[in-house]
Amino acid sequence: MKTKLKGHYVIGFNGKDHVLLKDAEVVFEGSDIIYVGKEYETPVDETIECGNAVISPGFIDLNALGDIDHDILHIEAGEERSKNLLWSEEYMKNGPEEVMTEEEEAFKSLYAYTQLILNGVTTAMPITSVFYKKWAETYGELAAAAQHAGNLGLRIYLGPSYQSGMRVVQPDGSIHVEWDEEQGKQGLKRAIEFVEQFDGAYDGLVKGMLAPERIECQTEESLKQTKAFSEKLGVPIKLHAAQGSFEYHTMIERHGMTPIQYLDSIGFLGPNTGIPHANFIAGYSETEAGQGDDIKILNETNTTVIHCPVIMGRRGSGLESFARYKRSEVNLAIGTDTFPPDIFQNIRAGSMISRFHEKAVEDSSFADFFRAATLGGANFLGRDDIGRLAPGAKADMIVIDLDGYHMGVNDDPIRTMMMSGSGQDIKLSIINGKIVMKDRVIPNIDLKELQLKSQAYFEKMKNGYSKRDYQQLDKQDLFKTSFPLVDSLNMIFK
């Protein structure tokens, strides 16, 4: 079956970069694009008139949220209160427990993946929190996630996370890593089994990956084995590293080198390795030690930096800067890592943060970030068939409506979308030649029901923090509202 999409703008690909076509068409047959241009003369089975809209390659989110976001509890906690949201040493010693049931853990990915689709993500590499887990992700919850992705039609890279340590807070408020190396070994074993079982499932939509948790919670042996199995299985690795002060300075203390330099020294970096967030490098403004050129190492090893501008910007942090990494020819991709998984918002924020550091537009433009959200992600995944609209590429595309009054006037569609648009403006999403969302409706999904279930999940997750708090604060002190919560108003007017 041949399907034609017609729109005011098409973001095509000329073999080297994105290009704009006006009043153009995209034709796909089965799962593949067969034509991008002005006038396709051969008859088609269906024509979809998109009107005043942009037909774009779908977004590739390499640090996509795979659960119900806990960040709303952490984002304004402050430095001291943030410690109350980690594990206490006592909780760790008494034995952590699962807060959620298997059914609830299976549900969270369905909620998260529908959010990704509604926000124009056509390829995702998810991340979930382990704060409220017994230890790390289980095989069962990732099997459920694969099933949800397959049923929804989302292209996804999956693998259960694993770790050999956990950050814990001691009674005096200091933080250190408690170790359980056997958990790390068993977790890697589960991850390998998962990849062997699910890589290529659901007509190739589900692919495997290896997801060791944060670098400071990994043993050297686990990292080396991860790298070896990545090469053996032919799957990518994602490891959070160089993302915060505690981690950065812990690695300096342990190894006498920065996180990036340490990973390079053990042969972990390379084309199959993606690092969110990679901003804490030698010379970064918040570091107190470390020398050398980490950006040069990232470039020379062809390691991908997965930039997540919104979540880092919320913490007053970020790359210094995106433009600097780009000029050094580091492969840059985009991740959302929080709610909402809105790529438009991330491109806006990332561009502003980079321009703030650079005091210039060059290499910090919306187009630069759009490339990262499409071609950069595809480069990391080793794929020349996604992240672009061209004959031979997969039919992964989204349609962004330009008719909304909030969009304002249109001069250049990229600038218009990134200045005024959001994920809410995406009205059609096609993945692998299948319509997975149209007019904000996902087939066979009741979004209102999912919203009710997600709120119940969140409340239960929130309640679990009290057991882990090292000071055992009451709920009102642990989770302060933006303004005081009162039962009534006693106001005196004069």
Side-chain angles (χ1 to χ4, degrees):
M1 179 175 175
K2 291 182 181 179
T3 303
K4 178 194 292 184
L5 272 67
K6 300 178 68 175
H8 190 36
Y9 292 101
V10 171
I11 302 174
F13 183 74
N14 66 4
K16 294 183 178 180
D17 198 6
H18 295 306
V19 293
L20 280 173
L21 293 86
K22 197 170 182 179
D23 298 322
E25 307 168 341
V26 179
V27 181
F28 64 92
E29 184 174 19
S31 63
D32 300 321
I33 295 171
I34 60 173
Y35 178 83
V36 179
K38 293 274 189 174
E39 297 178 4
Y40 186 73
E41 297 179 353
T42 305
V44 298
D45 298 287
E46 180 183 12
T47 297
I48 300 175
E49 296 283 353
C50 299
N52 185 27
V54 178
I55 303 172
S56 165
F59 295 126
I60 299 173
D61 187 345
L62 293 186
N63 213 34
L65 198 67
D67 58 3
I68 282 80
D69 198 5
H70 69 285
D71 197 50
I72 196 169
L73 299 172
H74 291 243
I75 194 62
E76 293 190 334
E79 184 176 352
E80 288 304 312
R81 187 53 48 83
S82 292
K83 296 176 183 179
N84 298 96
L85 303 179
L86 298 176
W87 288 19
S88 69
E89 188 176 61
E90 181 180 4
Y91 178 78
M92 176 78 172
K93 288 180 178 178
N94 289 338
E97 58 189 55
E98 291 287 5
V99 174
M100 301 296 176
T101 65
E102 289 185 15
E103 182 181 7
E104 288 165 334
E105 289 291 61
F107 158 76
K108 69 181 183 183
S109 53
L110 175 61
Y111 175 80
Y113 297 170
T114 55
Q115 294 284 357
L116 294 174
I117 287 172
L118 287 165
N119 280 278
V121 174
T122 54
T123 298
M125 184 178 280
I127 177 179
T128 69
S129 172
V130 298
F131 284 135
Y132 55 90
K133 298 286 298 171
K134 184 176 182 179
W135 191 254
E137 291 175 324
T138 65
Y139 187 98
E141 72 188 79
L142 266 291
Q147 183 177 18
H148 290 320
N151 291 340
L152 290 168
L154 177 64
R155 194 181 301 283
I156 202 161
Y157 285 73
L158 280 175
S161 65
Y162 49 95
Q163 60 187 1
S164 302
M166 173 66 79
R167 290 175 301 156
V168 300
V169 185
Q170 298 180 89
D172 64 358
S174 60
I175 302 173
H176 73 288
V177 176
E178 288 276 352
W179 296 95
D180 188 337
E181 294 187 24
E182 185 58 30
Q183 286 277 11
K185 294 175 182 178
Q186 293 302 315
L188 176 57
K189 182 180 178 181
R190 285 195 304 273
I192 293 165
E193 291 173 354
F194 180 88
V195 170
E196 291 174 340
Q197 178 66 32
F198 283 95
D199 188 44
Y202 294 94
D203 294 325
L205 283 177
V206 175
K207 301 289 289 182
M209 54 91 71
L210 295 176
E213 279 285 338
R214 313 166 63 104
I215 184 176
E216 75 271 27
C217 297
Q218 299 294 324
T219 64
E220 185 168 310
E221 181 61 24
S222 180
L223 290 174
K224 287 180 175 179
Q225 288 193 12
T226 295
K227 180 67 172 181
F229 277 105
S230 165
E231 293 173 352
K232 179 180 179 180
L233 298 169
V235 297
I237 307 167
K238 182 171 68 177
L239 172 70
H240 280 66
Q243 68 172 325
S245 181
F246 173 80
E247 170 233 310
Y248 178 90
H249 293 102
T250 294
M251 298 303 290
I252 290 279
E253 184 178 341
R254 280 185 200 165
H255 304 288
M257 60 185 88
T258 70
I260 297 301
Q261 292 164 20
Y262 167 72
L263 292 174
D264 185 42
S265 74
I266 64 171
F268 188 84
L269 301 179
N272 289 338
T273 302
I275 305 290
H277 301 265
N279 56 304
F280 262 80
I281 59 174
Y284 185 66
S285 61
E286 298 178 51
T287 61
E288 299 173 1
Q291 296 180 341
D293 191 341
D294 287 357
I295 292 181
K296 183 179 180 182
I297 292 172
L298 291 167
N299 166 256
E300 290 179 345
T301 57
N302 198 22
T303 299
T304 291
V305 170
I306 304 170
H307 184 29
C308 307
V310 166
I311 195 166
M312 298 307 289
R314 286 174 181 170
R315 289 164 169 76
S317 190
L319 295 180
E320 294 175 348
S321 66
F322 177 95
R324 180 183 169 204
Y325 285 61
K326 177 180 177 290
R327 286 194 297 269
S328 298
E329 298 184 343
V330 174
N331 187 53
L332 289 156
I334 295 294
T336 53
D337 200 12
T338 190
F339 187 86
D342 189 331
I343 298 292
F344 296 91
Q345 189 179 131
N346 276 271
I347 288 177
R348 256 194 311 272
S351 180
M352 283 190 286
I353 293 168
S354 187
R355 294 181 198 195
F356 174 81
H357 288 290
E358 294 290 318
K359 309 303 180 189
V361 173
E362 287 76 17
D363 297 316
S364 302
S365 71
F366 296 139
D368 292 321
F369 278 82
F370 186 89
R371 290 187 192 96
T374 51
L375 301 175
N379 288 343
F380 169 62
L381 298 173
R383 302 190 63 155
D384 59 7
D385 62 344
I386 61 174
R388 69 209 69 198
L389 299 184
K394 291 297 179 185
D396 291 7
M397 65 192 84
I398 57 176
V399 176
I400 303 105
D401 188 10
L402 295 176
D403 267 340
Y405 189 72
H406 64 280
M407 281 288 193
V409 298
N410 177 47
D411 174 49
D412 172 81
I414 296 293
R415 285 193 286 272
T416 295
M417 291 190 300
M418 298 314 163
M419 287 180 67
S420 304
S422 75
Q424 296 289 317
D425 295 303
I426 296 167
K427 63 181 181 180
L428 180 68
S429 182
I430 297 170
I431 304 175
N432 215 37
K434 175 185 175 184
I435 294 176
V436 298
M437 184 274 287
K438 185 176 183 181
D439 296 328
R440 311 301 293 165
V441 174
I442 298 175
N444 305 313
I445 295 294
D446 186 336
L447 296 180
K448 289 184 178 179
E449 180 184 356
L450 289 191
Q451 186 66 15
L452 290 173
K453 286 185 176 181
S454 69
Q455 188 64 42
Y457 182 104
F458 174 78
E459 296 298 339
K460 187 175 180 181
M461 177 184 71
K462 182 177 177 179
N463 289 336
Y465 278 82
S466 297
K467 294 182 179 180
R468 301 185 291 270
D469 176 18
Y470 82 107
Q471 291 181 321
Q472 293 294 290
L473 300 177
D474 63 46
K475 280 189 179 180
Q476 283 192 328
D477 288 330
L478 186 59
F479 303 113
K480 289 184 178 294
T481 54
S482 296
F483 298 109
L485 188 64
V486 299
D487 294 324
S488 62
L489 292 179
N490 295 311
M491 302 176 68
I492 300 175
F493 296 93
K494 295 183 180 180

